[in-house]
Amino acid sequence: MAKIQMTTPIVEMDGDEMTRVIWKMIKDILIEPYVELKSEYYDLGLVHRNETNDQVTFDSAEATKKYGVAVKCATITPNAARMTEYDLKEMWKSPNGTIRAILDGTVFRTPILVKGIVPYIPTWTKPITIARHAYGDVYKNVEMQVPAGGKAELVYTDKDGNETRETIHEFKNSGIIQGLHNRDESIESFARACFNYALDLKEDIWFATKDTISKKYDHRFKDIFQEIFDKEYKEKFDKAGIEYFYTLIDDAVARVIRSNGGYIWACKNYDGDVMSDMVATAYGSLAMMTSVLVSPDGIYEYEAAHGTVQRHYYKHLKGEETSTNSVATLFAWSGALRKRGELDNLPELVNYADCLEKATIQTIEDGVMTGDLYAMSQLENKRKVNTEDFLKAIDERLKAML
Ligand code: NAP
Ligand code: MG
């Protein structure tokens, strides 16, 4: 069979530890035998980020803006332990944070459902997609630890130098302060990204914040969503037979638990971070979750929702066998290749991406799976395989489909 040709390169962001090992296996076993892969490669592994003073992360985000579609491997966000482990010059920032800030997008995370794995909430028979605003709030905060006997104020200086002040707190004893911000523009693109995605999926969208307590900050989010919805989306939603509604986050949590799934839940940055982990866990595993960052100007960055699976990597380094789940990383690749195929009008590439996903799900439903799924699956004929054999089992099915 002739290899499938591409016209525009994909931006390829390599990463760290076990996911870096999986990254190469996926390319070797499942992609390069079928696709004449065109990619612009950026090594976001911590060693190379340190060598380039993190410039490579910025370059990869700029390349993503240029080409429009990227696929990213999980990367280490350094902490104190990593400083020594990798002999780092600085505690480099989270690459995801850097890329999200540059692309100013919304992250959509959807669980991958397979037969044999019943969610912890068994009534969740359809996927719940979490839409997470990826700019600002606590991820762009300014913090201080302050001694006793002072006063903290919120000060805004306008362009003519006039000040508006609010007292935050008079500190009799020592304490802590945090400053947060967001931009109307970013909230507007968050709203549009959510409404567009809902129309794409033909699913309802819910949005929730804590506007009863945060009467200006969270309330602004609520108002912007409503204005944009009424002006630009109401008719389209009516036509598509889908619904937008706003509710308080406490109420949303209760409704989500009682629901059957099949909708998008839009969350502010921090809520989305936490709730997507909760939802992923309830559906089974972070390794069974797709994740894509969509920017307001239609740029897509696909990634896995989980980390670099450090514990498995150390086993791998010792020469021990691992059984690490590659599904999320695989779906990042298939998502990026499909989007490239759609944008460049390459039906063969789109079909390949569809088959790769079908073959993956088929493999698990045939009973062949990695350890994490083996522990959860209710299939009677289930069999646990190692990291590489899982990919080879997918390849057998993919070959037959293509
Ligand atoms: P993690 O890599 O997601 O792994 C946590 C645990 O979840 C693993 O030890 C493993 O459990 C299980 N797990 C996660 N992914 C799995 C997979 N694909 N297959 C099988 N089991 C899987 O999180 P972490 O250990 O907290 O973080 C490790 C590194 O990843 C950190 O340096 C962190 O900065 C980074 N990180 C990166 C991203 C990103 O780039 N998107 C996101 C989160 C964290 P068992 O060990 O019990 O098998
Ligand atoms: Mg998280």
Side-chain angles (χ1 to χ4, degrees):
M1 193 187 93
K3 284 198 197 182
I4 298 163
Q5 297 296 315
M6 296 176 61
T7 47
T8 316
I10 260 178
V11 176
E12 177 183 348
M13 304 169 174
D14 206 346
D16 288 298
E17 299 195 312
M18 200 58 209
T19 39
R20 188 181 180 97
V21 174
I22 287 176
W23 194 260
K24 181 160 187 319
M25 284 183 186
I26 289 176
K27 284 171 68 179
D28 288 348
I29 298 171
L30 290 169
I31 299 176
E32 291 188 311
Y34 302 100
V35 179
E36 194 66 57
L37 181 66
K38 264 195 177 188
S39 82
E40 197 164 293
Y41 180 85
Y42 291 86
D43 183 0
L44 266 53
L46 187 51
V47 173
H48 193 237
R49 270 183 280 148
N50 191 50
E51 281 166 5
T52 62
N53 297 330
D54 208 23
Q55 187 58 41
V56 64
T57 307
F58 291 86
D59 291 347
S60 71
E62 290 305 329
T64 305
K65 277 187 164 172
K66 177 172 162 196
Y67 291 112
V69 181
V71 56
K72 181 181 171 291
C73 181
T75 46
I76 293 169
T77 299
N79 55 14
R82 301 296 196 169
M83 291 292 288
T84 12
E85 185 184 353
Y86 284 85
D87 192 17
L88 299 181
K89 297 187 239 176
E90 246 181 66
M91 204 183 283
W92 307 110
K93 291 205 166 145
S94 149
N96 292 321
T98 302
I99 295 165
R100 281 170 200 162
I102 293 174
L103 299 181
D104 183 13
T106 301
V107 179
F108 295 91
R109 289 195 166 167
T110 310
I112 301 159
L113 305 191
V114 290
K115 252 182 254 137
I117 294 178
V118 178
Y120 285 98
I121 298 178
T123 46
W124 285 2
T125 50
K126 288 175 275 182
I128 298 170
T129 296
I130 300 270
R132 171 182 171 191
H133 187 206
Y135 177 84
D137 302 348
V138 73
Y139 302 85
K140 280 263 172 211
N141 67 358
V142 182
E143 301 182 312
M144 274 186 212
Q145 202 175 336
V146 295
K151 177 166 131 180
E153 286 179 292
L154 200 55
V155 183
Y156 177 77
T157 314
D158 74 14
K159 57 185 188 324
D160 302 318
N162 307 310
E163 290 183 351
T164 313
R165 285 170 182 266
E166 291 267 1
T167 301
I168 297 170
H169 191 70
E170 312 237 8
F171 283 92
K172 273 200 209 104
N173 298 308
S174 57
I176 43 181
I177 322 167
Q178 184 179 53
L180 307 184
H181 82 278
N182 223 300
R183 298 181 290 113
D184 285 355
E185 222 181 12
S186 176
I187 303 168
E188 286 161 14
S189 46
F190 171 39
R192 291 196 179 92
C194 288
F195 295 140
N196 287 335
Y197 210 77
L199 285 167
D200 260 7
L201 296 191
K202 292 230 177 340
E203 284 184 359
D204 291 347
I205 179 149
W206 309 3
F207 180 43
T209 72
K210 192 73 179 174
D211 66 297
T212 47
I213 298 297
S214 173
K215 290 187 185 350
K216 291 200 174 124
Y217 198 102
D218 279 15
H219 205 89
R220 186 80 192 129
F221 277 82
K222 176 183 174 178
D223 284 348
I224 288 178
F225 264 68
Q226 197 62 50
E227 278 163 30
I228 290 185
F229 179 74
D230 291 342
K231 237 185 260 159
E232 302 171 27
Y233 290 92
K234 183 152 188 347
E235 267 174 48
K236 292 180 198 159
F237 269 53
D238 287 347
K239 229 181 247 165
I242 57 173
E243 192 187 10
Y244 163 64
F245 79 95
Y246 176 87
T247 183
L248 196 62
I249 188 128
D250 317 47
D251 176 52
V253 169
R255 285 175 188 251
V256 165
I257 297 295
R258 288 194 305 259
S259 77
N260 299 127
Y263 53 87
I264 301 163
W265 180 13
C267 294
K268 285 176 60 199
N269 208 347
Y270 174 80
D271 297 339
D273 185 351
V274 179
M275 292 305 167
S276 62
D277 280 2
M278 195 267 294
V279 166
T281 306
Y283 275 105
S285 145
L286 266 189
M288 297 296 285
M289 191 96 177
T290 66
S291 182
V292 57
L293 174 72
V294 184
S295 89
D297 27 358
I299 289 161
Y300 293 78
E301 185 237 324
Y302 294 83
E303 58 174 6
H306 58 77
T308 58
V309 213
Q310 184 179 18
R311 205 180 62 82
H312 295 211
Y313 180 59
Y314 290 160
K315 272 177 78 178
H316 170 81
L317 286 183
K318 279 194 262 169
E320 289 171 32
E321 193 174 77
T322 58
S323 182
T324 314
N325 189 334
S326 47
V327 172
T329 307
L330 241 174
F331 273 61
W333 273 102
S334 58
L337 290 169
R338 178 187 299 105
K339 184 50 77 179
R340 201 61 275 169
E342 286 169 5
L343 294 174
D344 295 345
N345 199 12
L346 302 169
E348 262 196 299
L349 191 60
V350 173
N351 178 56
Y352 162 81
D354 290 344
C355 290
L356 181 54
E357 291 179 1
K358 268 188 226 144
T360 304
I361 289 172
Q362 189 63 56
T363 303
I364 299 168
E365 295 188 341
D366 285 347
V368 182
M369 60 194 82
T370 47
D372 55 323
L373 299 183
Y374 182 82
M376 291 184 295
S377 174
Q378 301 184 345
L379 294 182
E380 273 172 15
N381 61 339
K382 63 182 176 178
R383 186 159 63 84
K384 176 180 161 179
V385 293
N386 68 36
T387 309
E388 187 170 351
D389 286 348
F390 179 63
L391 294 171
K392 287 183 177 159
I394 296 172
D395 188 44
E396 281 169 27
R397 288 157 182 86
L398 178 64
K399 227 181 239 133
M401 284 181 193
L402 292 171

